[in-house]
Each structure stands twice: as structure tokens, then as C-alpha cells.
């Protein structure tokens, strides 16, 4: 990626990754820290580094050495409430890989980081196996988020179209990659 290195986060990356995530929820999402939604941000190691079927990737800027983007996979689907019950039923925890915390610092956007993070996360899902669905949601109020996800994924539910508007988020499903065999015999 030229001026960036995308890699699996380690314990030494947790503080910088958390800073990227918190900056995003305050600046872009404007929700601030909400414990029931963001517990994983406070303790990324417990949520992403240690569970086998989860991961946290970071993008490190080669020149500064700083973490400028994050992306994660967690092994749980959306909860109801606050999400519609039928969406939660379609993406149950355990069999759903959820892409989340794909955040890029504003000054590093438009360099392909989010797209590369998504590609690497999808490869992780294929490699770990056992998932039946690949889910994510986004807040369309974040500039560029909705068109980005529409270019990669299939809309499942746009809450803005529900009576009362729901939370105003859009739910998506990505094609589930084929499992990566541990050993492939040579023909």
C-alpha cells in the first residue's frame, strides 16, 4: 500500500487503535462513547485480539509510524433492540461475521485504506471458516460511508424507510467468501 502497512493489531497497538475509534465516534458519528454500543472500543484486546474467530487490523502510516485506520471482525450479529428483530434473526451471533470499526482518520481518507481493510477482513473470514453470513451496518450521515458500502455490499434494510425511521442506519450483507482450504493437493 505504498505509504501504509496493513497488519493484524497486537497488544502494543491497542491504545492508538482505540484513539482512532474514539475520535471517529465523537467526530464523525457524533454519538460519543455509548457503553452499550462501544464496549469493544474500550477493550479491543478482549473483543478482537484474543477470540480466535475475531480480529482487529490496523493501518500504520510508514512515515509517522502512527495507526491511522482500523477494521475488525466480531463473531456476533446485530442485537434487537435497537436493530429490527428480523435483521437480528437473519444474522445470528456465532454464525455471523460482522465487519465493524472500519474507521480512517480524515487526513488519510481517499487512499484505498478502507477498501483494503475490507478485503483483508473478508480474507480473514474465509480463512477462519464457520461463518454463514457476513454483515455490517453503517450510519449514512457519515460523509462517504453509504456510497462506499453500496459499492461493496447488498442492502438488507434501510432503517430510514421504516415507520419512525428506526436508528437511521443501513444494514448490509457482503458475499460470504468460499472457505480457504488448509491444504490443497497439487493436481
Amino acid at each position: 500500500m505504498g505509504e501504509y502497512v496493513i497488519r493484524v493489531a497486537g497488544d502494543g497497538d491497542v491504545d492508538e487503535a482505540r484513539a482512532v475509534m474514539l475520535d471517529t465516534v465523537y467526530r464523525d458519528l457524533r454519538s460519543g462513547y455509548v457503553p452499550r454500543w462501544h464496549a469493544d472500543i474500550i477493550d479491543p484486546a478482549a473483543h478482537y485480539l484474543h477470540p480466535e474467530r475475531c480480529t482487529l487490523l490496523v493501518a500504520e502510516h510508514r512515515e509517522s509510524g502512527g495507526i491511522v485506520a482500523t477494521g475488525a471482525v466480531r463473531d456476533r450479529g446485530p442485537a434487537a433492540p435497537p436493530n429490527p428483530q428480523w435483521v437480528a434473526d437473519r444474522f445470528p451471533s456465532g454464525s455471523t461475521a460482522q465487519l465493524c470499526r472500519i474507521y480512517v482518520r480524515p487526513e488519510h481518507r481517499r487512499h484505498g485504506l478502507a477498501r483494503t481493510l475490507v478485503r483483508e477482513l473478508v480474507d480473514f473470514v474465509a480463512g477462519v471458516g464457520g461463518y454463514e453470513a457476513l454483515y455490517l451496518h453503517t450510519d449514512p450521515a457519515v460523509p462517504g460511508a453509504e456510497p462506499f458500502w453500496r459499492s461493496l455490499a447488498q442492502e438488507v434494510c434501510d432503517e430510514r424507510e421504516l415507520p419512525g425511521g428506526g436508528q437511521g442506519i443501513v444494514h448490509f450483507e457482503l458475499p460470504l467468501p468460499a472457505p480457504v482450504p488448509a491444504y490443497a493437493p497439487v493436481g
Side-chain angles (χ1 to χ4, degrees), residues 6 33 86 89-90 97 106 114 134 140 143 164 174-175 187:
I6 306 283
Y33 172 72
W86 70 269
D89 291 344
R90 180 172 172 168
L134 188 51
L174 283 124

Side-chain angles (χ1 to χ4, degrees), residues 5-183:
V5 175
I6 306 283
R7 60 182 173 75
V8 175
D11 288 324
D13 300 313
V14 168
D15 289 341
E16 282 190 77
R18 181 185 306 111
V20 170
M21 294 177 200
L22 285 172
D23 287 351
T24 301
V25 298
Y26 279 95
R27 180 192 55 242
D28 294 333
L29 300 175
R30 296 193 176 132
S31 66
Y33 172 72
V34 179
R36 70 180 184 275
W37 298 338
H38 304 127
D40 61 305
I41 293 175
I42 297 306
D43 192 359
H47 287 85
Y48 302 117
L49 303 188
H50 304 301
E52 284 183 28
R53 299 178 68 222
C54 301
T55 195
L56 174 63
L57 300 181
V58 293
E60 182 178 3
H61 188 250
R62 288 183 194 270
E63 187 175 315
S64 71
I67 303 299
V68 299
T70 62
V73 169
R74 59 178 154 209
D75 60 354
R76 61 186 177 89
N83 301 294
Q85 185 63 53
W86 70 269
V87 173
D89 291 344
R90 180 172 172 168
F91 300 105
S93 293
S95 63
T96 298
Q98 183 176 170
L99 296 186
C100 54
R101 308 299 178 222
I102 299 171
Y103 300 149
V104 180
R105 291 203 178 276
E107 63 273 20
H108 295 278
R109 292 179 183 159
R110 313 289 306 157
H111 292 275
L113 289 172
R115 196 169 295 273
T116 301
L117 285 164
V118 170
R119 187 172 43 251
E120 294 291 325
L121 293 168
V122 169
D123 288 349
F124 170 83
V125 169
V128 76
Y131 288 116
E132 296 174 12
L134 188 51
Y135 163 85
L136 69 100
H137 66 265
T138 194
D139 182 343
V142 175
E146 184 177 3
F148 172 76
W149 288 115
R150 288 191 183 284
S151 76
L152 297 173
Q154 179 75 36
E155 177 191 310
V156 172
C157 174
D158 185 337
E159 290 193 22
R160 298 170 295 184
E161 297 172 1
L162 298 177
Q167 304 173 88
I169 64 172
V170 183
H171 303 267
F172 290 98
E173 184 172 13
L174 283 124
L176 193 62
V180 176
Y183 168 76

